[in-house]
C-alpha cells in the first residue's frame, strides 16, 4: 500500500535507541560535533518472507529442541544466522549433512524439487521456509511447462533462488538470462512457444530493460500474470531513489551475498550518489563522513532494525545527528506459517 512521501525529523543520541526521540542534543559535547542530516529510508529491513523464515526456525527449535538443521543460510544475513546458531540451529549446505531423524528447515530462497524428494525418501521431518512469493514463481514455472512453453528465467547465475527455481523443471526446459546482451544471443525459432519469469530480488530498472528486449525479439512471449519482483524489493529500491539524490553518501546495511542489498547499492549509485554496503556499524570509517552533510541510510530485506540503530548510534558519537525518516510506502504483508508449526 502506497503512502504519501513524508519525513519525520528526530535528533539522535547514542545508545538510547531514539528513533522517535525529538529531544534536542544539548551541552558542550554536542556543540563541538558537526551536524549530520540523516535520511532514513522507509520501508527498509525485514520483509514478510524473512520474518516468516526466521520464525519458522525459532518455532522449530521450540518444538523439536536443539539442534535443528537448516539447509543453506535461512536468509542472507550473518547477524541473523549467528543469532540462530546461538539458539541451536546448525546450518548445512546439503541434506547429506543432516543426520537421520533430525528436523531440517529449507531456506527462504527456495530449493530444487529434488531436495524435498530426498528428504521424504530419507524420512526426514522437514519444514519449508521458502518465501511464498518465491513459491509463486515455482508454481508459475510448472504451469508454463504444462502449457509446453520454454521458460526464459531472468536472474543471477548461482544465486540460491535461481538454483531453486530452475530445479522446479527438467534440465533444458528453462534458460537463464542475466543481461540484455544475453537476450541478443538467444536463438529460438519464431514458432517456439516461450514465456519468461524473474528472480524476486532483481533491480527493477535492469529487469525492465531485459523484459523489453525479450518482448522486442519475441513478440509472442508470454509474461507472468503479475510482477515477479517482490513488493519488498520494489519498495526498498523506490525508497532509496527518494533519499539518494539528496544525500552525499548512502549506506546500505546488508550482506555481500544478499542480492536485494547489492541492488540497493546500485540504485543509489545510479542516482549519482556514492554508496557503500556494510554488514555492521563497526565497518564504518569516520573518514567516510569527510565532506558529508547529508547521509542516506537503508537496510536490505534480510537486515534487522537493530543493525540500523547501531549505525545511528555510531554516527551520533561523531556528529550531531538529525534524523529524517522518508516514508515512500507502508507494508502490511504477513505470511502464514507452515501447518506443522500451528497445529
Amino acid at each position: 500500500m502506497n503512502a504519501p512521501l513524508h519525513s519525520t525529523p528526530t535528533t539522535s543520541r547514542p545508545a538510547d535507541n531514539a528513533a522517535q526521540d525529538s529531544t534536542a542534543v544539548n551541552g558542550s559535547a554536542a556543540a563541538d560535533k558537526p551536524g549530520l542530516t540523516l535520511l532514513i529510508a522507509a520501508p527498509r529491513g525485514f520483509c514478510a518472507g524473512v520474518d516468516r523464515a526466521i520464525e519458522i526456525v525459532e518455532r522449530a527449535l521450540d518444538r523439536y529442541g536443539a539442534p535443528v538443521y537448516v539447509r543453506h543460510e535461512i536468509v542472507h544475513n550473518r547477524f541473523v544466522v549467528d543469532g540462530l546458531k546461538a539458539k541451536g540451529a546448525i546450518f548445512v549446505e546439503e541434506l547429506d549433512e543432516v543426520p537421520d531423524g533430525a528436523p531440517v528447515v529449507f531456506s527462504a530462497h527456495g530449493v530444487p524439487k529434488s531436495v524435498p524428494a530426498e528428504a521424504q525418501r530419507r524420512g526426514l521431518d522437514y519444514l519449508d521456509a521458502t518465501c511464498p512469493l518465491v513459491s509463486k514463481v515455482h508454481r508459475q514455472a510448472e504451469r508454463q511447462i504444462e502449457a509446453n512453453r520454454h521458460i526464459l528465467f531472468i536472474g543471477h547465475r548461482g544465486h540460491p533462488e535461481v538454483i531453486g527455481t530452475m530445479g522446479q523443471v527438467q534440465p533444458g526446459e528453462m534458460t537463464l538470462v542475466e543481461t540484455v546482451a544475453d537476450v541478443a544471443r538467444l536463438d529460438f525459432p519464431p514458432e517456439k512457444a516461450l514465456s519468461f519469469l524473474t528472480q524476486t530480488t532483481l533491480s527493477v530498472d535492469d529487469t525492465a530493460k531485459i523484459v523489453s528486449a525479450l518482448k522486442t525479439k519475441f513478440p509472442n512471449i508470454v509474461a507472468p500474470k503479475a510482477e515477479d519482483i517482490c513488493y519488498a524489493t520494489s519498495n526498498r529500491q523506490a525508497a532509496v531513489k527518494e533519499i539518494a539524490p539528496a544525500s552525499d553518501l548512502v549506506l546500505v546495511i546488508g550482506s555481500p551475498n544478499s542480492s536485494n542489498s547489492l541492488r540497493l547499492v546500485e540504485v543509489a549509485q545510479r542516482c549519482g550518489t556514492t554508496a557503500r554496503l556494510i554488514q555492521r556499524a563497526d565497518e564504518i570509517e569516520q573518514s567516510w563522513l569527510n565532506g558529508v552533510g547529508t547521509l542516506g541510510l537503508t537496510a536490505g530485506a534480510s537486515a534487522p532494525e537493530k543493525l540500523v540503530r547501531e549505525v545511528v548510534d555510531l554516527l551520533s558519537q561523531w556528529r550531531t545527528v538529525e534524523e529524517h525518516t522518508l516514508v515512500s510506502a507502508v507494508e502490511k504483508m504477513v505470511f502464514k506459517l507452515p501447518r506443522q508449526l500451528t497445529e
Side-chain angles (χ1 to χ4, degrees), residues 164-175:
T165 301
M166 296 191 76
Q168 301 305 304
V169 302
Q170 294 300 312
E173 294 180 331
M174 184 181 292
T175 298

Side-chain angles (χ1 to χ4, degrees), residues 10-184:
T10 63
T11 305
S12 300
R13 293 175 297 167
D16 67 357
N17 202 25
Q20 304 300 321
D21 185 2
S22 59
T23 305
V25 176
N26 297 312
S28 59
D32 291 340
K33 293 187 291 187
L36 179 68
T37 299
L38 182 61
L39 304 181
I40 303 182
R44 63 183 177 275
F46 278 1
C47 63
V50 168
D51 274 329
R52 174 180 180 271
I54 294 169
E55 186 173 356
I56 287 172
V57 177
E58 291 175 336
R59 288 206 181 196
L61 286 164
D62 289 340
R63 170 162 292 197
Y64 300 110
V68 166
Y69 287 79
V70 184
R71 185 187 181 278
H72 193 69
E73 291 184 341
I74 188 68
V75 296
H76 283 159
N77 186 274
R78 177 52 51 190
F79 179 84
V80 171
V81 169
D82 286 346
L84 293 173
K85 281 182 179 178
K87 295 178 181 180
I90 296 177
F91 291 85
V92 298
E93 287 304 310
E94 299 297 343
L95 279 188
D96 59 14
E97 302 173 64
V98 179
D100 290 341
V104 61
V105 179
F106 303 149
S107 84
H109 309 98
V111 296
K113 279 186 175 181
S114 59
V115 174
E118 173 63 11
Q120 289 176 352
R121 187 193 68 78
R122 290 183 55 193
L124 296 176
D125 194 354
Y126 70 88
L127 294 162
D128 190 353
T130 301
C131 173
L133 298 180
V134 174
S135 295
K136 182 195 76 170
V137 178
H138 291 181
R139 292 191 297 272
Q140 289 182 92
E142 291 174 346
R143 287 195 292 269
Q144 295 304 327
I145 296 304
E146 289 170 359
N148 294 315
R149 298 188 186 102
H150 185 84
I151 300 168
L152 303 179
F153 187 65
I154 304 171
H156 294 299
R157 187 179 303 277
H159 189 277
E161 183 184 333
V162 172
I163 294 170
T165 301
M166 296 191 76
Q168 301 305 304
V169 302
Q170 294 300 312
E173 294 180 331
M174 184 181 292
T175 298
L176 182 64
V177 176
E178 295 188 89
T179 64
V180 171
D182 286 346
V183 175

Side-chain angles (χ1 to χ4, degrees), residues 205-241:
D205 296 336
D206 285 349
T207 303
K209 293 175 184 176
I210 296 172
V211 169
S212 177
L214 285 173
K215 290 181 176 179
T216 299
K217 185 164 185 175
F218 306 109
N220 296 322
I221 195 168
V222 175
K225 291 183 179 179
E227 177 71 62
D228 284 341
I229 296 178
C230 82
Y231 77 95
T233 296
S234 300
N235 286 347
R236 279 150 190 73
Q237 290 179 24
V240 167
K241 290 179 181 179

Side-chain angles (χ1 to χ4, degrees), residues 306-342:
K306 175 180 173 63
L307 302 187
V308 176
R309 301 316 310 173
E310 280 186 0
V311 170
V312 176
D313 289 345
L314 178 63
L315 294 173
S316 298
Q317 295 177 24
W318 298 331
R319 298 286 192 93
T320 300
V321 174
E322 182 179 277
E323 292 182 52
H324 296 265
T325 300
L326 273 65
V327 182
S328 58
V330 176
E331 296 177 348
K332 296 184 178 180
M333 185 79 73
V334 177
F335 294 133
K336 294 180 180 179
L337 294 171
R339 191 175 302 160
Q340 303 103 297
L341 297 177
T342 58

